[in-house]
Amino acid sequence: MTLHRRISRDLEDRIRSGELRPGQRIPTEHELMQTYGCARMTVNKALSQLAGDGLIERRKRAGSFVRLPRLDTPVLEIPDIEVEVTARGDRYRFELLNAQTRNDSDLNGPTLSLTGIHYAQDRALAFEERRISLTAVPEAATADFTVQSPGHWLLQAVPWTRVEHMVSALAAPASIAARLGVDKGAACLVVERRTWKDDAVVTVVRQAFDGTAYRLTASFGRN
Amino acid sequence: MTLHRRISRDLEDRIRSGELRPGQRIPTEHELMQTYGCARMTVNKALSQLAGDGLIERRKRAGSFVRLPRLDTPVLEIPDIEVEVTARGDRYRFELLNAQTRNDSDLNGPTLSLTGIHYAQDRALAFEERRISLTAVPEAATADFTVQSPGHWLLQAVPWTRVEHMVSALAAPASIAARLGVDKGAACLVVERRTWKDDAVVTVVRQAFDGTAYRLTASFGRN
DNA sequence: TCCCAAATTATGTCTAGACATAATGGATAA
DNA sequence: TTATCCATTATGTCTAGACATAATTTGGGA
């Protein structure tokens, strides 16, 4: 591994682990070149890399700062329903229907299995089935998901490294229609998402949205 | 504008304009440092930037080459239905239902308005309504969309710089249901996409997919 | 003729400087 | 007290070298 790569990896790890928190200042180029005993250009390359990836923000005279969890990047990266609902000024609530731990071959190991409903202004927005690997996130066993939604909690608690989405449309079966308070056969937008940290699956979630009330957006390219 | 930025912009323009074609070799660092009269590190920074953005590929001893249109990046960038269908070994066909030119305030200027159906193995997969700005893409007026789908043609013909997606679910109204050969009220996955080249909208498209036959995928993060 | 070794070439990384730029914060003047 | 100027500081860009690395080409020997 090259030196500038090692520097940026070290910093990325410290950011993802939470040691360096959003908004916090990271060491200056001069401090880092002393820490690693290298030239400034090498440190500069590492920091430019992190800035390009959106992990840090660089401000002249002020220093380099850990960026807030990217909200301006493609929404499809990880939609946080709680944040989205409250951002548009609506009242948010998550209702936990069921929680149990069991073994899951898919996440190979003990798994917390949850179902629940996301409400916006007391109207059901999405029905969620989620599995969380207790191997990858042991803290999940003691978290209280009646207070905050599992998705919101996970985003704050776990530094993920990879996400995979599948988006499809589904005619609501009776079980989901009842949960969402829509007619049986109504169009639902279904998002299935797997989230990894390094090589371990952290969580697998399937969310069915009321098709008339929700849509995903994503944009790519500069500007 | 800084020098390394200017170098990478110049090269990006030559790639997007088609002067430098995929697979073709671009000037070496030494040639570029002579062209721009600067140090190698400056050229190197520009080329590293382009490589990071996936526009070129760098091979030791061989040189730097224009990359093929990104197929390994998030699928959601721009799904080319024709490529997707043929990639899984199915027979693809596009049926042009209607084509007319008119003025469109949304794309401010003369616009080619198209509707058509994408078939996979002679089964309707998607109903498409598309508008193409003839200001941005005058060649579209003479293209033959009974031979290839407009989406496929545009991807090859126009160097886009920005895309915006909206994905939603819809219960098929009679007009769409008939086109797709599904029941009225069946769940459809609707993708609306706006594509820009610089500040000009190139095309706006709305595609309704048979929800049982299609889904979008996207992945983010390393590896 | 075929295979291996050496020379060549282009990129990859790094250094130790330089000057530029922007923002901050304190000192000075109105 | 308030406004303005200036020094400080951290990043931004650039240079002219250096050695490393990987892959191709070439030349020679079996």
Side-chain angles (χ1 to χ4, degrees):
Chain A
M1 174 166 296
T2 66
L3 184 51
H4 74 261
R5 201 84 202 83
R6 202 188 123 208
I7 297 174
S8 56
R9 272 296 173 95
D10 283 358
L11 287 168
E12 185 175 343
D13 286 347
R14 291 171 68 185
I15 291 169
R16 294 211 186 273
S17 73
E19 182 194 332
L20 296 169
R21 309 193 67 83
Q24 193 176 331
R25 186 179 160 166
I26 70 172
T28 67
E29 295 190 348
H30 263 276
E31 288 163 350
L32 286 170
M33 71 188 262
Q34 294 207 321
T35 303
Y36 290 91
C38 66
R40 210 187 118 217
M41 274 296 285
T42 308
V43 172
N44 185 284
K45 189 163 187 176
L47 294 187
S48 299
Q49 172 82 37
L50 290 175
D53 291 349
L55 259 97
I56 65 169
E57 188 185 350
R58 315 197 69 194
R59 289 205 298 274
K60 284 185 181 174
R61 167 62 224 239
S64 300
F65 298 82
V66 179
R67 274 188 70 175
L68 300 171
R70 12 178 138 188
L71 291 173
D72 50 345
T73 42
V75 176
L76 214 55
E77 275 207 340
I78 288 210
D80 183 335
I81 299 174
E82 178 163 349
V83 169
E84 285 179 24
V85 168
T86 52
R88 71 175 186 227
D90 286 357
R91 188 170 51 255
Y92 172 84
R93 183 165 63 86
F94 180 75
E95 183 189 354
L96 185 64
L97 296 175
N98 190 277
Q100 51 185 293
T101 58
R102 55 171 177 235
N103 264 303
D104 191 306
S105 63
D106 207 14
L107 281 71
N108 61 114
T111 300
L112 181 61
S113 187
L114 306 166
T115 58
I117 301 176
H118 299 267
Y119 290 91
Q121 301 282 62
D122 293 319
R123 184 157 172 274
L125 176 67
F127 173 65
E128 169 171 325
E129 300 162 281
R130 182 185 290 271
R131 286 169 292 161
I132 303 172
S133 163
L134 290 174
T135 317
V137 201
E139 314 90 291
T142 55
D144 183 2
F145 297 125
T146 59
V147 177
Q148 54 186 338
S149 69
H152 189 70
W153 180 83
L154 278 165
L155 269 179
Q156 309 219 319
V158 183
W160 55 272
T161 56
R162 196 164 87 86
V163 196
E164 203 174 275
H165 286 91
M166 279 182 1
V167 182
S168 55
L170 177 77
S175 59
I176 292 181
R179 307 286 195 200
L180 288 179
V182 298
D183 292 337
K184 180 169 175 294
C188 291
L189 187 67
V190 177
V191 177
E192 284 182 61
R193 179 170 53 242
R194 299 175 96 77
T195 308
W196 283 262
K197 168 149 167 42
D198 303 324
D199 287 330
V201 176
V202 172
T203 184
V204 179
V205 64
R206 188 164 180 274
Q207 295 166 329
F209 294 86
D210 176 356
T212 61
Y214 194 79
R215 61 188 184 192
L216 288 163
T217 60
S219 75
F220 300 94
R222 52 166 174 270
N223 218 13
Chain B
M1 176 164 298
T2 66
L3 184 50
H4 74 261
R5 202 82 201 86
R6 203 188 124 207
I7 298 174
S8 57
R9 272 299 173 93
D10 283 358
L11 287 168
E12 185 176 342
D13 285 348
R14 290 170 69 186
I15 290 169
R16 293 210 185 272
S17 75
E19 183 195 331
L20 296 170
R21 308 191 69 81
Q24 194 177 329
R25 188 180 156 165
I26 69 172
T28 66
E29 295 189 346
H30 263 276
E31 287 164 351
L32 287 170
M33 70 188 262
Q34 293 207 321
T35 303
Y36 290 92
C38 66
R40 212 188 114 217
M41 273 298 285
T42 309
V43 172
N44 184 284
K45 188 161 186 175
L47 294 187
S48 300
Q49 173 82 38
L50 290 175
D53 291 350
L55 261 97
I56 64 171
E57 187 186 348
R58 314 198 71 194
R59 288 206 298 274
K60 284 186 181 174
R61 166 64 223 237
S64 301
F65 299 82
V66 179
R67 273 189 70 174
L68 300 171
R70 10 181 143 188
L71 291 174
D72 51 344
T73 41
V75 177
L76 213 56
E77 277 209 339
I78 287 205
D80 183 335
I81 299 173
E82 178 163 350
V83 168
E84 285 179 23
V85 169
T86 51
R88 70 175 187 227
D90 286 356
R91 189 170 51 255
Y92 172 84
R93 184 165 61 86
F94 180 75
E95 183 189 355
L96 186 65
L97 296 175
N98 191 277
Q100 52 185 293
T101 58
R102 56 171 176 234
N103 264 303
D104 191 306
S105 62
D106 208 13
L107 281 71
N108 63 117
T111 300
L112 181 60
S113 188
L114 305 167
T115 57
I117 300 176
H118 298 268
Y119 289 91
Q121 302 284 58
D122 294 318
R123 184 156 174 278
L125 177 67
F127 172 64
E128 168 171 325
E129 301 164 280
R130 183 186 289 272
R131 287 169 292 160
I132 303 173
S133 164
L134 290 173
T135 317
V137 201
E139 314 90 290
T142 56
D144 183 1
F145 296 124
T146 59
V147 178
Q148 55 187 337
S149 70
H152 189 71
W153 179 83
L154 279 165
L155 269 181
Q156 309 219 319
V158 183
W160 56 272
T161 56
R162 196 164 87 87
V163 196
E164 203 174 276
H165 285 93
M166 277 181 4
V167 182
S168 54
L170 178 75
S175 59
I176 291 181
R179 307 287 196 201
L180 288 180
V182 298
D183 292 337
K184 180 169 177 294
C188 291
L189 187 67
V190 178
V191 177
E192 286 182 61
R193 179 168 54 244
R194 300 175 95 80
T195 309
W196 283 263
K197 167 151 169 42
D198 303 325
D199 288 330
V201 176
V202 172
T203 185
V204 179
V205 64
R206 188 162 180 275
Q207 295 167 330
F209 293 85
D210 176 355
T212 61
Y214 194 80
R215 60 187 185 192
L216 288 163
T217 60
S219 75
F220 301 94
R222 53 166 173 268
N223 220 10

